[in-house]
Amino acid sequence: MKITRLLHHYINILDWYIIKKFIGTYIYSIALIISISIVFDVNENLAKFTQYHAPFRAIVFDYYMNFVPYFANLFSPLFVFIAVIFFTSKLAGNSEIISMLAAGVSFKRLMRPYMISCVLISMLSYYLSAYIIPHSTIIRQNFETIYKNKRKNTAADNVQLQVGKGVIAYIQHYDNVYKRGYGFSLDKFENKKLVSHLTASEIQYDTISDAKYHWTLSHWKNRQLKGLRETITSGYQLDTLILMEPTDLVYSKGQQETFTSPELHNYISKQIDRGSGNVVQYQVEYHKRIASSFASFILTTIGVSLSSRKRKGGMGMYLGIGLALSFGYILLQTISATFAINANTPPMLAAWIPNIIFAVIAYFCYRQAPN
């Protein structure tokens, strides 16, 4: 009851009117553009689907059912802007905004229902990108590997990583299909001195174990070094725990998109502790999910500021300016992520640069809007 009273107190009929228009137009624009995208994608990939004999059920449920939320969320800022421009310019054209302002509603107050809508969209966008889309991306990428691209990185050579404090693992060649490695060694150091050197001709990951990090060594030999004394033990097979997993050994393009945000955070922390330098793309993805959820606030402010004034000749020029700004935002996101990976830009800064730049533009547009 208290929540209902608060909603009635802060959200009146005018707010509900704008919120319904905003959300409705947002959903409509997503459905329209994604439908067009699916038509183009089917036209482009139909030959490959036929060539690799992709089942119709897999095409619909494994590919396109996971294609839609991924790209809808990826271009959500653009859809937000299109929705705002479309229905706000229509309100302005019908003199509804002029009537609101003439009735004593300030432009700041007019922004309230827009911001409430942005809260809902931002929460949904973050939840999708952090928890739902990573799982659907795995299904979509597996489909693409089997029926579309036929390419996936399934092996790695000369892999070296720190699996514990002072413990370095090395695998000469690792095959991710069979979860098996060849030419394995595990060195343990204490005070920068080698105290143990374990080698094995093969190492096999236990995929049926309930716990993580279970490996089986074949044709192993362990040298224990203590001062000038050396103890050698060997055997045919050895079950052991080594703090590494197959995902630590083989990296495939877009792998960071298959982790939920908690999994990304844990993976980044683990790789940093191991001294791995191949974590920038994971850090960028982690921070980008948070930063992108705030894009709706920025682009909505720009959209309302540009389209709320009634103008002769329609909204053509301002719609073009707004679309250019929204496309520029998406482009800047890609550029900043590339700089973070290739030019040593801090990942967190790279993820937030588009928001910082466009927040300044949004503030300028807001100051120029009618009051």
Side-chain angles (χ1 to χ4, degrees):
M1 289 294 293
K2 289 183 178 179
I3 296 175
T4 305
R5 289 176 182 175
L6 283 172
L7 286 175
H8 282 295
H9 180 72
Y10 287 102
I11 305 177
N12 57 26
I13 296 175
L14 175 63
D15 296 322
W16 283 118
Y17 176 71
I18 293 178
I19 290 171
K20 288 177 182 178
K21 288 278 188 179
F22 192 164
I23 301 298
T25 311
Y26 171 73
I27 295 173
Y28 176 78
S29 63
I30 287 178
L32 180 63
I33 296 177
I34 290 297
S35 299
I36 296 171
S37 301
I38 290 175
V39 171
F40 279 102
D41 191 79
V42 169
N43 184 61
E44 181 180 352
N45 295 307
L46 187 59
K48 289 184 178 180
F49 294 158
T50 305
Q51 178 185 353
Y52 296 124
H53 307 289
F56 179 78
R57 181 181 178 84
I59 294 173
V60 174
F61 293 100
D62 292 348
Y63 184 65
Y64 283 110
M65 288 294 288
N66 297 301
F67 171 95
V68 170
Y70 176 80
F71 283 96
N73 195 63
L74 179 65
F75 294 105
S76 179
L78 177 60
F79 298 140
V80 166
F81 186 82
I82 291 174
V84 170
I85 283 284
F86 183 78
F87 87 85
T88 305
S89 61
K90 191 174 181 180
L91 292 179
N94 294 334
S95 301
E96 293 181 66
I97 290 182
I98 293 175
S99 301
M100 296 175 194
L101 297 175
V105 178
S106 66
F107 190 75
K108 181 179 179 181
R109 173 63 182 83
L110 184 64
M111 290 292 294
R112 182 198 288 181
Y114 287 94
M115 294 298 104
I116 293 173
S117 302
C118 288
V119 169
L120 299 176
I121 293 172
S122 296
M123 290 173 63
L124 176 62
S125 176
Y126 178 75
Y127 181 74
L128 286 173
S129 62
Y131 298 99
I132 303 300
I133 292 177
H135 295 299
S136 66
T137 300
I138 295 173
I139 300 172
R140 181 173 56 84
Q141 287 183 354
N142 289 337
F143 175 91
E144 290 176 344
T145 301
I146 299 171
Y147 300 114
K148 186 179 175 183
N149 298 326
K150 289 288 185 179
R151 293 192 305 270
K152 189 174 183 180
N153 189 15
T154 59
D157 294 311
N158 299 319
V159 180
Q160 180 173 303
L161 69 158
Q162 181 173 305
V163 297
K165 187 175 181 181
V167 182
I168 307 297
Y170 172 80
I171 301 177
Q172 186 176 5
H173 177 77
Y174 177 76
D175 187 339
N176 197 45
V177 175
Y178 299 101
K179 303 292 188 287
R180 183 182 300 161
Y182 305 91
F184 173 77
S185 68
L186 187 71
D187 295 328
K188 184 177 181 181
F189 295 87
E190 290 181 1
N191 298 322
K192 299 182 180 181
K193 292 183 178 180
L194 182 66
V195 295
S196 174
H197 179 65
L198 173 65
T199 60
S201 60
E202 291 185 11
I203 180 171
Q204 176 72 52
Y205 186 68
D206 189 351
T207 57
I208 61 174
S209 174
D210 294 332
K212 295 181 179 181
Y213 313 127
H214 279 251
W215 296 86
T216 300
L217 307 182
S218 300
H219 305 289
W220 61 275
K221 180 186 290 186
N222 188 26
R223 298 169 57 199
Q224 293 286 342
L225 306 173
K226 190 173 182 180
L228 298 177
R229 299 183 61 182
E230 179 179 359
T231 304
I232 299 177
T233 54
S234 61
Y236 175 72
Q237 200 170 66
L238 175 67
D239 293 328
T240 184
L241 289 175
I242 304 174
L243 298 180
M244 64 181 184
E245 298 178 86
T247 53
D248 300 328
L249 305 175
V250 177
Y251 171 76
S252 57
K253 185 179 180 181
Q255 181 175 305
Q256 68 274 15
E257 297 176 354
T258 64
F259 292 162
T260 63
S261 288
E263 289 171 345
L264 263 179
H265 184 269
N266 294 333
Y267 182 84
I268 291 167
S269 300
K270 184 172 66 174
Q271 293 300 96
I272 290 175
D273 290 340
R274 289 174 172 174
S276 174
N278 190 30
V279 295
V280 177
Q281 59 266 38
Y282 296 90
Q283 292 173 317
V284 170
E285 177 68 19
Y286 180 80
H287 292 295
K288 188 174 73 173
R289 291 177 183 179
I290 301 172
S292 296
S293 62
F294 288 91
S296 57
F297 293 96
I298 298 170
L299 294 179
T300 295
T301 303
I302 295 174
V304 176
S305 301
L306 290 176
S307 60
S308 58
R309 190 190 297 271
K310 186 175 182 178
R311 296 177 173 88
K312 292 182 179 180
M315 286 296 300
M317 184 181 72
Y318 292 93
L319 179 61
I321 293 172
L323 288 174
L325 288 173
S326 57
F327 277 115
Y329 176 86
I330 296 171
L331 178 63
L332 189 58
Q333 275 188 321
T334 305
I335 294 173
S336 60
T338 303
F339 268 107
I341 296 171
N342 299 322
N344 295 323
T345 305
M348 186 174 180
L349 177 62
W352 283 92
I353 280 176
N355 282 7
I356 295 170
I357 294 174
F358 278 81
V360 175
I361 297 173
Y363 178 76
F364 175 78
C365 293
Y366 175 78
R367 296 292 296 177
Q368 298 299 316
N371 293 284

